[in-house]
Amino acid sequence: MSFQRRFVGAVSVLTMGTLGGALMAISIAVNASQQRQLDEALRAEATEEAREASALGGDELAISDRPGPAANDVGPLTKYGAIFNPEGRVLAATPTFHGSPPPLETLGPGTMECFNLWFRGEHLRGVLVPIPAHAGARLLLAAPRADLDGDASFLARAMLTVFFVAVGWSALLATWIVRRLTREHEAITLVVRRVAAGDLSARVATRTGDAEIAQLGRDINEMIERLDVLVASQQRFIAQAAHEMRSPLTTLYGELSHALRKPRDADTYRRAIEEALEAARRLKLMTDDLLALARLGADVGEPSEPVDVLERARAAAEAVAWEARERDTRIDVQGAPATVLGHSRNLERLLRNLIENAVRHSPKGGRVEVVVEPHGDTIEAAVSDEGPGIPEAERVRVFEPFYRGVRERADDMPGAGLGLPIARQIARAHGGDVLFDATRSKGSRFVVRFPVAREGDTESNPREGERAA
């Protein structure tokens, strides 16, 4: 059931309950007031008639010709009277009873209490009063209550008419109001459905006088824009990944196919296998990087712990030592112990990517320097090399996935352009960032900044709001 129907239904039920209760209370009050008026008139009239009957000996009625009791503004009513002895035998009765008044045992609850009775199809209101100076003798005086019943029936019909008209009007009014109030909500719902169907060009119009709805529209538009950027980035990432993987796969397939096309000597087979192995190695490195990028969003549920950045830097340098020896490059790690809250494996991967990148861009006999230093509330880990540096035009793109500079592509350097993006993702997941130091005149210098882990920090996920995508 829609919100509009639920709202209209709730208003209708509330109106029915409130109005129905109020009309019922009014009806009961009006009917009780009219009946009370008749009862008071009956008691007064019956008491007067009992005194007159007592004066006549207690066994004779003296119903006067004066007007009878009035139930309402209609006027006097016809009198029905009878005298009963202590045994309940009828001593006298008015002609209106046609000589057979109802038996005493069938009459009301007691003396001076008014009650209802039926006589030959006519509804009466009566009262029994004692006759003075005649013990046990009682006088019955009754009057028709047709006017009371008619008024009660008319009032009930009027109340029901008012009730149904009011409920119907309330339902119509509630429907009109809720439609006006939810026009903007329906527009927002339509936009959300278009986005869910894949139309990321849909936007919410924020021209409304309701500040909350306008803010909601702006938030949804911002969410759609970010989603559009993410989808475009994902599509670009997939296209770039497929392009980068296609090259080593093509090389691998071509070398193997060429080697099996016809018999060759051992040296030719060896060269083909080496080419295929190199292509497989590049493919493996790229797969490892892609898996590392994917894991960054998968381990955010793991509890974090205090990690010594200097210790992780030394472990990362050890992991890259074999490649540094091949390139005759020295790695120097220095600094002071500094603790951050995070994941040890990811932090080591971050530093290893930076060190590996520095080693690959260093000349033979060069030196890669890693310095870890605390600076107040932050920790800096800087990785410097003595290579040719990064051209100014390429500095803004070095953190893009799969981006490789002109020199890297020309020299066919290993790597898929994922090392720096992964490093930045890890740093931001830990509340920090990786920046390129543009002030260095020679070589390249990348600086990682982390917030210092302090005593009492909760050992939960690092920076929940800055998790890696």
Side-chain angles (χ1 to χ4, degrees), residues 281 285 317-329 331 352 355-357 359-361 414:
R281 189 180 72 83
L285 290 175
E318 286 294 327
V320 185
W322 65 272
E323 188 170 354
R325 285 193 295 269
E326 285 187 353
R327 295 176 175 272
D328 192 21
T329 302
I331 303 175
R352 190 179 75 205
I355 297 172
E356 193 174 64
N357 186 68
V359 168
R360 290 175 182 174
H361 289 82

Side-chain angles (χ1 to χ4, degrees), residues 139-154:
L139 169 69
L140 167 65
L141 183 66
R145 58 169 300 153
D147 289 337
L148 286 181
D149 293 344
D151 290 347
S153 177
F154 172 78

Side-chain angles (χ1 to χ4, degrees), residues 114-138:
C114 296
F115 52 88
N116 296 322
L117 68 151
W118 289 89
F119 178 73
R120 294 188 177 182
E122 188 171 11
H123 200 194
L124 306 176
R125 184 74 175 171
V127 64
L128 285 170
V129 298
I131 299 177
H134 294 77
R138 284 182 285 181

Side-chain angles (χ1 to χ4, degrees), residues 117-306:
L117 68 151
W118 289 89
F119 178 73
R120 294 188 177 182
E122 188 171 11
H123 200 194
L124 306 176
R125 184 74 175 171
V127 64
L128 285 170
V129 298
I131 299 177
H134 294 77
R138 284 182 285 181
L139 169 69
L140 167 65
L141 183 66
R145 58 169 300 153
D147 289 337
L148 286 181
D149 293 344
D151 290 347
S153 177
F154 172 78
L155 184 61
R157 290 194 301 272
M159 294 294 186
L160 283 175
T161 302
V162 171
F163 175 77
F164 287 114
V165 169
V167 170
W169 173 250
S170 298
L172 290 175
L173 187 61
T175 302
W176 179 77
I177 291 174
V178 75
R179 283 182 178 175
R180 283 188 61 86
L181 292 177
T182 58
R183 282 184 304 182
E184 290 81 5
H185 295 80
E186 291 177 352
I188 292 174
T189 301
L190 180 61
V191 170
V192 172
R193 288 176 180 170
R194 288 175 58 189
V195 172
D199 182 9
L200 296 179
S201 65
R203 294 295 184 272
V204 178
T206 57
R207 296 186 301 272
T208 176
D210 191 329
E212 294 181 355
I213 296 298
Q215 183 61 47
L216 176 61
R218 288 192 293 271
D219 292 342
I220 290 179
N221 286 341
E222 184 178 353
M223 179 189 68
I224 296 172
E225 290 172 1
R226 293 188 178 182
L227 184 62
D228 192 12
V229 171
L230 287 175
V231 170
S233 176
Q234 182 188 50
Q235 292 173 345
R236 186 169 62 252
F237 181 88
I238 293 173
Q240 290 173 337
H243 176 74
E244 292 294 334
M245 294 181 72
R246 181 180 180 180
S247 178
L249 281 173
T250 301
T251 301
L252 181 62
Y253 178 80
E255 290 296 335
L256 293 177
S257 299
H258 182 70
L260 293 176
R261 191 170 299 161
K262 61 182 180 178
R264 302 178 186 277
D265 56 33
D267 290 338
T268 304
Y269 276 125
R270 182 178 182 84
R271 285 195 300 272
I273 293 173
E274 288 176 348
E275 291 289 338
L277 183 61
E278 176 61 23
R281 189 180 72 83
R282 291 173 58 189
L283 193 60
K284 179 180 180 302
L285 290 175
M286 187 182 306
T287 304
D288 290 343
D289 287 340
L290 290 173
L291 288 175
L293 199 60
R295 288 196 189 103
L296 291 179
D299 60 5
V300 293
E302 297 178 4
S304 57
E305 57 185 1

Side-chain angles (χ1 to χ4, degrees), residues 313-314 317 329-335 355 366-372 382-384:
R314 288 171 176 161
T329 302
R330 188 172 79 256
I331 303 175
D332 290 338
V333 180
Q334 53 187 300
I355 297 172
R367 175 171 169 267
V368 173
E369 184 181 39
V370 182
V371 180
V372 178
V383 179
S384 308

Side-chain angles (χ1 to χ4, degrees), residues 349-419:
R349 175 74 188 223
L350 183 161
L351 295 167
R352 190 179 75 205
N353 284 3
L354 295 179
I355 297 172
E356 193 174 64
N357 186 68
V359 168
R360 290 175 182 174
H361 289 82
S362 293
K364 280 190 174 294
R367 175 171 169 267
V368 173
E369 184 181 39
V370 182
V371 180
V372 178
E373 293 178 330
H375 294 277
D377 293 336
T378 61
I379 295 172
E380 284 191 1
V383 179
S384 308
D385 63 56
E386 298 175 346
I390 301 176
E392 186 174 352
E394 298 180 5
R395 292 174 184 175
V396 295
R397 301 190 60 191
V398 292
F399 291 102
E400 292 181 9
F402 298 107
Y403 178 77
R404 301 177 71 201
V406 176
R407 187 178 294 109
E408 285 83 356
R409 293 194 299 271
D411 295 343
D412 195 22
M413 287 188 178
L418 291 173

